[in-house]
Amino acid sequence: MSDLTTVGKKITKRDAPLKVTGGATYIQDLKIPGMLYGGILYSKYAHAKILKLDTTRAERLPGVMAVITAADVPNNFRFGIMKDNPPLKGGRVRSTRDEIAAVAAVSAEIAAAALELIEVEYEELPGIFDPLEAMKEGAPLVHEEMKSNILKMPWKLICGDVEAAKKESAYVVSDTFRTQWVTHCCLGTSGCIAALDTSNNLTMYSNTQIPSLAQNDYIEALAAFGLKGRRVRIIQCTIGGGFGSKLDTYAYEYIAILLAMKTRKPVKFIFSREEEFFATSPRQCSITKISQGCDKDGRLTFREMEMVLDNGAYTSWGATTPSVMMMPISSLYKVPNIKYVAQCVYTNNTYSQAMRGYGNPQATFAIESSLDQLAEKAGLDPYELRFRNANEPGELTPQNFQVTSCGMKECMAEVVKRLDWKGKKGNGNGRGVGMASLIHVGGGARVYKSDGCGTIIKMDDRGKVDVLTGATEIGQGSETVLAQIVAEVLGVPIDDINVINNDTDVCPWDVGAHASRSTFVAGNSALGAARKIREQMLAVAAQNMGEDPASLDIKNGVVFSRNDKEKSLPLSKVLRKVHYTSGGKMFMAEHFYDPPNENFDKEFKGNLSVSYAYGVHGVEVEVDRETGQVKILNYIAAHDVGKAINPMLLEGQIYGGGLMGIGYALGETMIYEKGRLKNGNFLDYKMPTAKDVPPVQAVIVETDEQAGPFGAKGIGEPGLVPTAPAIANAIYDAVGVRIKDLPITPEKVLRALQEKAQADTGRSGA
Amino acid sequence: MKREITFKLNNEERKVEVDPGWTLLYVLREVLELMGTKEGCGYGECGACTVIIDGLSVNSCLYPILEAEGRAVTTIEGLRAASGELHPLQQAFVNEGAVQCGFCTAGMIMSAKALIDENEKPTEDDIKDNIAGNLCRCTGYVQIIDAIKTVAGGGRT
Amino acid sequence: MTRFEYHKPHTIKEAIGLMGSLENAKFIAGGTDVMVLIKRKKIAPAHLISLRNINDFSSIDIGDGLQIGGGVTHSDIVANEFIQKRYSALTDAAGKVGSRQIRNVATVSGNICNAAPSADTACPLLVLDADVKIAGPKGERQVPLDDFFLGANRVDLGPGEVVTGFHLPPFGLNTGSAYIKHTRRQAMDLPMVGIAVRVTIRIGGSEIGCKDAFCTIDSISNILRRLEDEELRCEDVRIAMGVVAPRPVRARKAEAALKGKVISEALFEEIAEIAASEAQPRDSIRGEAWYRREMVKVLTKRAILISVDRVLRPDDMILRGHDAASCPRVRG
């Protein structure tokens, strides 16, 4: 492995030159001849009856080609994992993002003007916005046919005997933690162009991060719309950020299809920034009760968690985040006894979806905050408690995760060293340090029946390589990582690799850019295909060179003999010899890699991922006792990545995730009042700016994961998972107040400091 | 009522027929079909639409097109040398991993260019201050700041 | 896209003439507010009259204090070293408005005319006793900024009138000022609270000169403690508060309580309490009232301290790092 030429190197991003010159085509930039522009009318209320919906005036506006409402949606079509979401809502609206009418017009301006001409009369109904209220007996039902606001998703994980463990524990802590709604803030807003050919086959120009699953969604929709058996082709434009927001299909995409059907023209939707804020699906808020215990030696005895999640009015992947939360709950540190139940609750709020970390940040905030409380109760340094219970290679966790490589202790050591943990801990001078760890899937995640990805590699006559992959590039750099893997195996310069990754007509199936799986799964897939083609080429070269294939190697596009350096043959010659001969052939290979991981069984147990990624974040903060403001003085993000295929891109994931996590911890929150988003803009939604970047170190810990391509594991999501609890713990160390609900605003810190001062005075007075 | 205006765009005199209600961003993208400049919000809150006008970084989404008359506008398309070589800042963004999804990149580079044109040796604080109006969700800004530093230290054209 | 006609007069007279002759017209300067209001459909003017091309409109002139032209942008202010030294509060504020892109086009007069309670330059201009220069169909006039603000987003501008600039009186070397913008983010933010302060200080009746004791990186609190016997007296003071009332306001009771007194940190704390009692903040999605009031207290004290510091230790006097040898005043 030491003589790697491409893997492990700082290779520049393949698509960067196009992006720095403004040449990349995002959905915003794409125009199709004859294209119409779509617009959506959303509900004025979070919960209401629609008494009247009159589109006549809009239809009469010159330039308007179609106006559709719920009445135009055939067969009562609904989408989403619970099939509870009609693309256009009629009769009743359940959230302020409910789509009630849509137009297609010759310009975006006319489409917007048409929306203003649609007349709607509502009868406002009382809404329910607090999931705890929504769970109560007699609460108004968001979906009457469901009979309850609690979704029928029995999230429950039991390992060992928590009750018995509680009794035997020397120390037990219990508390409640809350997290807020936050959103992805992709800089490129959502959009699509739906185009039907004369046979009603659909081409969807899309931003999706799940092309194969989206294709399936649209095929189902076409069937419901009376176009059964038609083909769907998805062409992905350059994607202006994903982070989970494009992991599901949205109403606007189905509306685009319906409008394209009605007008027989391509129809484009581009979200405004406001729409992007309120009409895409964010990370849901959570309420978590947690108890943890340890024995007198600080060994964890049990972890019990009970969670309520605001699902919003309809169901998307947000409702399935408990499946990922189970991972840290059962397997972050060695905890023998686990109990976890989660309930997702319908409300009249926006509906929730996937976002980087997929539930893990919410769960880890509770676990890691609570661990510090436990350490204090047990009289242990929080680092010491964590180190004693740290995960290790070879472990089988209570949820039946088989831990292969694990660098948690090494990460912890890096944090302790770089932060000067011992020197800075517990000084109580307004400065403090905190840490938190993470576990995440690092070798795919079997959440569907397949966790696979396909790759096709073809060689041309000059030794250039086309790699057709199912993996989606959403900015994270999968294209570059795959090119590196293929270049390494084939022994060709990376510039000779062309990755094609944006067209379902030519790219093989893939389950999507999610679960930090692209490097691992698509990487293994590319690795398999590359090995196959290498074998074919070496066999032919061996014949031509009169050598044993086993003695041949390829470097820089030239096949050579390891035994006799004089003997060499350019790859291009090998390729042409095979091609331009009677009965000739072209070199092509395909490989479908489906990792040997397991779907959960009925008890939610099973080896979800082939390997697990670990990391530890440490932070030093300074708290302004007068204003409650928290300043990050130093941030260490140490990650076990298996093997860094591209350290530069990998650090980019850590920095990006880290700052997203800092935003989650300290400022970002979607402020909803009665189901309406009050801060849906970049001024009032406090996504961090360049000036908010603290001194940060990304530390790469390599553990060489045997199942990973060249030893690699996933790193897409982990960067933000432990950020918030690390910061909360540091604040506690600095000033002795624990903030249990995110974000940790100056108001909350100051109030807590005032309350603490009062309590301290009270105590000293008594 | 449409009006014809002349301005210098990427070192070339351009004559364009415009509606007074249009913004510079609209004209760049929809009339001149220069798609490198992006709209991330439309309200001057994200910086994706940043261009340089007479040496200063400006949000083109809020810039009335008629104000461009007689001025020199530089967009991301105008940075590359005639030979096709990338501008040192563009090259630095490539080299340092400052690009992920790329949607903020054009605006970010334009802000950085305005800065180094004005101040050859900006400090890290200067850099942060000058790109604070360019939001990026992917990178955490670290490698962007690094990229600008490599150019700001010298090698500027 | 909204339709409007766009006019580019070259003189103020021409601009005022246009305003008089056009229906539903609005002045536009940097456009960072007006264009946003139009895009958000809050206003729909038929005509925009640009102030960007007015001749000699963007100058900053020193003499009889400071004259700031109506077309001066926030970036112009930031780049001006004289303002930074002698009207520091204004530099503090201008440098913290929006982003560099916004500061490059947004004008100070535009910021003031919007009269948002959060307008960053309003508080500094209030404490720096700025007069607003106004031109209109009936001629020119000048009003103190405090009188110019009438209420929430309302200013003393008659039909066809336009702000042509500001006049700030001269201040001696014994005057220092500061503005603190309290935000959630470090940039691209509106203040939760903004506090500006100006103080003029005398020691036993004479102006403060250079004292080697000040050439130190010690905190201003410690320096004040060391100077307790010197009887530093507050000769004059202004305190202005943003986002705590429908318009930027002065904390007059706090000012009165400080004026003429021998200064000390303990006194500043009392003054800050008084200022907080004068604030009338509200709850909004941008901040809670109780917290804003609390911050008035904290920031008023801090802004006074910075202002005093700027008198005692002007920037060119403060040591770069710990290198005492490089300080000419120490060596001298």
Side-chain angles (χ1 to χ4, degrees), chain C residues 26-61:
Chain C
K26 187 163 176 62
F27 288 119
I28 179 171
T32 54
D33 284 315
V34 171
M35 292 298 281
V36 168
L37 291 173
I38 291 172
K39 284 182 152 202
R40 291 202 192 277
K41 298 194 161 75
K42 305 270 191 212
I43 57 171
H47 299 271
L48 288 182
I49 301 166
S50 168
L51 302 173
R52 262 188 224 248
N53 307 280
I54 306 287
N55 298 326
D56 305 322
F57 204 48
S58 297
S59 58
I60 296 173
D61 295 314

Coordinates of all heavy atoms in Angstrom, one line a residue, chain C residues 26-61:
Chain C
K26 N -39.5 57.7 -6.0 CA -38.7 57.5 -4.7 C -37.3 57.7 -5.0 O -36.8 57.3 -6.1 CB -39.0 56.1 -4.2 CG -38.4 55.8 -2.8 CD -39.0 54.6 -2.2 CE -38.3 54.3 -0.9 NZ -38.4 55.3 0.2
F27 N -36.6 58.3 -4.1 CA -35.1 58.4 -4.2 C -34.5 57.1 -3.9 O -34.9 56.3 -3.1 CB -34.5 59.5 -3.2 CG -34.8 60.9 -3.6 CD1 -35.6 61.7 -2.7 CD2 -34.4 61.4 -4.8 CE1 -35.9 63.0 -3.0 CE2 -34.7 62.8 -5.1 CZ -35.4 63.6 -4.2
I28 N -33.4 56.8 -4.6 CA -32.6 55.6 -4.4 C -31.2 56.0 -4.3 O -30.7 56.7 -5.2 CB -32.9 54.5 -5.4 CG1 -32.1 53.3 -5.1 CG2 -32.7 55.0 -6.8 CD1 -32.4 52.0 -6.0
A29 N -30.5 55.5 -3.3 CA -29.0 55.8 -3.2 C -28.3 54.5 -3.5 O -28.3 54.0 -4.6 CB -28.7 56.3 -1.8
G30 N -27.8 53.8 -2.5 CA -27.1 52.5 -2.7 C -28.1 51.4 -3.2 O -27.7 50.5 -3.8
G31 N -29.3 51.6 -2.8 CA -30.3 50.7 -3.3 C -30.4 49.4 -2.4 O -31.3 48.6 -2.7
T32 N -29.6 49.3 -1.4 CA -29.6 48.0 -0.7 C -30.9 47.9 0.2 O -31.2 46.7 0.6 CB -28.4 47.8 0.2 OG1 -28.3 49.0 1.0 CG2 -27.1 47.7 -0.7
D33 N -31.5 48.9 0.5 CA -32.8 48.9 1.1 C -34.0 49.0 0.2 O -34.9 48.2 0.2 CB -32.9 49.9 2.2 CG -32.1 49.6 3.5 OD1 -32.2 48.4 3.9 OD2 -31.4 50.4 4.0
V34 N -33.9 50.0 -0.7 CA -35.0 50.3 -1.6 C -35.2 49.1 -2.6 O -36.4 48.7 -2.7 CB -34.7 51.6 -2.5 CG1 -35.7 51.7 -3.6 CG2 -34.7 52.8 -1.6
M35 N -34.1 48.5 -3.1 CA -34.3 47.4 -4.0 C -34.9 46.2 -3.3 O -35.7 45.4 -3.8 CB -33.0 47.0 -4.7 CG -32.5 48.0 -5.6 SD -33.6 48.3 -7.1 CE -33.2 46.9 -8.1
V36 N -34.5 46.0 -2.0 CA -35.1 44.9 -1.2 C -36.6 45.1 -1.0 O -37.4 44.2 -1.2 CB -34.3 44.7 0.1 CG1 -35.1 43.8 1.0 CG2 -32.9 44.2 -0.1
L37 N -36.9 46.4 -0.7 CA -38.4 46.7 -0.4 C -39.2 46.5 -1.7 O -40.3 45.9 -1.7 CB -38.5 48.1 0.0 CG -38.0 48.4 1.4 CD1 -38.0 49.9 1.7 CD2 -38.8 47.7 2.5
I38 N -38.6 46.8 -2.8 CA -39.3 46.6 -4.1 C -39.5 45.1 -4.4 O -40.6 44.6 -4.7 CB -38.6 47.3 -5.3 CG1 -38.7 48.9 -5.1 CG2 -39.2 46.9 -6.6 CD1 -37.8 49.6 -6.1
K39 N -38.4 44.4 -4.2 CA -38.4 43.0 -4.5 C -39.4 42.2 -3.6 O -40.1 41.3 -3.9 CB -37.0 42.3 -4.4 CG -36.1 42.7 -5.6 CD -34.8 42.0 -5.4 CE -34.2 41.7 -6.7 NZ -33.2 40.6 -6.6
R40 N -39.5 42.7 -2.3 CA -40.4 42.1 -1.4 C -41.8 42.6 -1.5 O -42.7 42.3 -0.7 CB -39.9 42.3 0.1 CG -38.6 41.5 0.4 CD -38.5 41.3 1.9 NE -37.2 40.8 2.3 CZ -36.8 39.5 2.3 NH1 -37.6 38.6 1.9 NH2 -35.6 39.2 2.6
K41 N -42.0 43.5 -2.5 CA -43.3 44.1 -2.8 C -43.9 44.9 -1.7 O -45.1 45.0 -1.5 CB -44.3 43.0 -3.2 CG -43.9 42.2 -4.5 CD -45.0 41.4 -5.0 CE -44.9 40.9 -6.4 NZ -43.9 39.9 -6.7
K42 N -43.0 45.5 -0.9 CA -43.4 46.4 0.2 C -43.7 47.7 -0.4 O -44.5 48.5 0.2 CB -42.4 46.5 1.3 CG -41.9 45.2 1.9 CD -42.7 44.8 3.0 CE -42.1 43.6 3.7 NZ -42.9 42.6 4.3
I43 N -43.0 48.1 -1.4 CA -43.3 49.4 -2.1 C -43.3 49.1 -3.6 O -42.7 48.1 -4.1 CB -42.2 50.5 -1.8 CG1 -40.8 50.0 -2.1 CG2 -42.3 50.9 -0.3 CD1 -39.7 51.1 -2.1
A44 N -43.9 50.0 -4.4 CA -44.0 49.8 -5.8 C -43.9 51.1 -6.5 O -44.9 51.6 -7.1 CB -45.2 49.0 -6.2
P45 N -42.7 51.8 -6.4 CA -42.6 53.1 -7.0 C -42.7 53.0 -8.5 O -42.2 52.0 -9.1 CB -41.3 53.6 -6.5 CG -40.5 52.4 -6.2 CD -41.5 51.4 -5.8
A46 N -43.2 54.0 -9.2 CA -43.2 54.1 -10.7 C -41.9 54.6 -11.2 O -41.5 54.4 -12.3 CB -44.4 54.9 -11.2
H47 N -41.3 55.4 -10.3 CA -40.0 56.1 -10.7 C -39.0 56.0 -9.6 O -39.3 56.2 -8.4 CB -40.2 57.6 -11.0 CG -41.1 57.8 -12.2 ND1 -40.7 57.8 -13.5 CD2 -42.5 58.0 -12.2 CE1 -41.8 58.0 -14.3 NE2 -42.9 58.1 -13.5
L48 N -37.8 55.7 -9.9 CA -36.7 55.8 -9.0 C -35.8 56.9 -9.4 O -35.4 57.0 -10.6 CB -35.9 54.5 -8.9 CG -36.6 53.3 -8.2 CD1 -35.7 52.1 -8.2 CD2 -37.1 53.6 -6.8
I49 N -35.5 57.8 -8.5 CA -34.5 58.9 -8.8 C -33.2 58.6 -8.1 O -33.1 58.6 -6.8 CB -35.1 60.2 -8.3 CG1 -36.5 60.4 -9.0 CG2 -34.2 61.4 -8.6 CD1 -37.3 61.5 -8.4
S50 N -32.2 58.3 -8.9 CA -31.0 57.8 -8.3 C -30.1 59.0 -7.8 O -30.1 60.1 -8.4 CB -30.2 57.1 -9.4 OG -28.9 56.9 -8.9
L51 N -29.5 58.8 -6.7 CA -28.6 59.8 -6.1 C -27.2 59.4 -6.3 O -26.3 60.1 -5.7 CB -28.9 60.0 -4.6 CG -30.4 60.5 -4.4 CD1 -30.7 60.5 -2.9 CD2 -30.7 61.9 -5.0
R52 N -26.9 58.4 -7.1 CA -25.6 57.9 -7.2 C -24.7 58.8 -8.2 O -23.5 58.6 -8.1 CB -25.6 56.5 -7.9 CG -25.5 55.4 -6.9 CD -25.4 54.1 -7.7 NE -26.3 53.1 -7.2 CZ -25.8 52.0 -6.6 NH1 -24.5 51.8 -6.5 NH2 -26.6 51.1 -6.1
N53 N -25.3 59.5 -9.0 CA -24.6 60.2 -10.0 C -24.5 61.8 -9.8 O -24.2 62.5 -10.7 CB -25.2 59.9 -11.4 CG -25.2 58.4 -11.6 OD1 -24.3 57.8 -11.9 ND2 -26.4 57.8 -11.4
I54 N -24.9 62.1 -8.6 CA -24.9 63.6 -8.2 C -23.4 64.0 -8.1 O -22.6 63.3 -7.5 CB -25.6 63.8 -6.9 CG1 -27.0 63.2 -6.9 CG2 -25.6 65.3 -6.5 CD1 -28.0 64.0 -7.7
N55 N -23.1 65.1 -8.8 CA -21.7 65.6 -8.7 C -21.3 66.0 -7.3 O -22.1 66.6 -6.6 CB -21.6 66.8 -9.7 CG -21.8 66.4 -11.1 OD1 -21.6 65.3 -11.5 ND2 -22.4 67.3 -11.9
D56 N -20.1 65.8 -7.0 CA -19.6 66.2 -5.7 C -20.4 65.8 -4.5 O -20.7 66.6 -3.6 CB -19.3 67.7 -5.6 CG -18.5 68.2 -6.8 OD1 -17.5 67.4 -7.1 OD2 -18.8 69.2 -7.4
F57 N -20.9 64.6 -4.5 CA -21.9 64.2 -3.5 C -21.3 63.2 -2.5 O -21.8 62.9 -1.5 CB -23.1 63.5 -4.2 CG -24.4 63.5 -3.4 CD1 -24.8 64.7 -2.8 CD2 -25.1 62.4 -3.3 CE1 -26.0 64.7 -2.1 CE2 -26.3 62.4 -2.5 CZ -26.7 63.6 -2.0
S58 N -20.1 62.7 -2.9 CA -19.5 61.6 -2.1 C -18.2 62.0 -1.3 O -17.4 61.2 -1.1 CB -19.2 60.4 -3.0 OG -20.3 59.9 -3.5
S59 N -18.2 63.3 -1.0 CA -16.9 63.8 -0.4 C -17.0 63.8 1.1 O -18.1 63.9 1.7 CB -16.5 65.2 -0.9 OG -17.6 66.0 -0.6
I60 N -15.9 63.6 1.7 CA -15.8 63.7 3.2 C -14.8 64.8 3.4 O -13.6 64.8 3.0 CB -15.2 62.4 3.8 CG1 -16.2 61.2 3.6 CG2 -14.9 62.6 5.3 CD1 -15.7 59.9 4.0
D61 N -15.3 65.9 4.0 CA -14.4 67.1 4.1 C -14.2 67.4 5.6 O -15.1 67.4 6.4 CB -15.1 68.3 3.4 CG -15.2 68.1 2.0 OD1 -14.2 67.7 1.4 OD2 -16.3 68.3 1.4

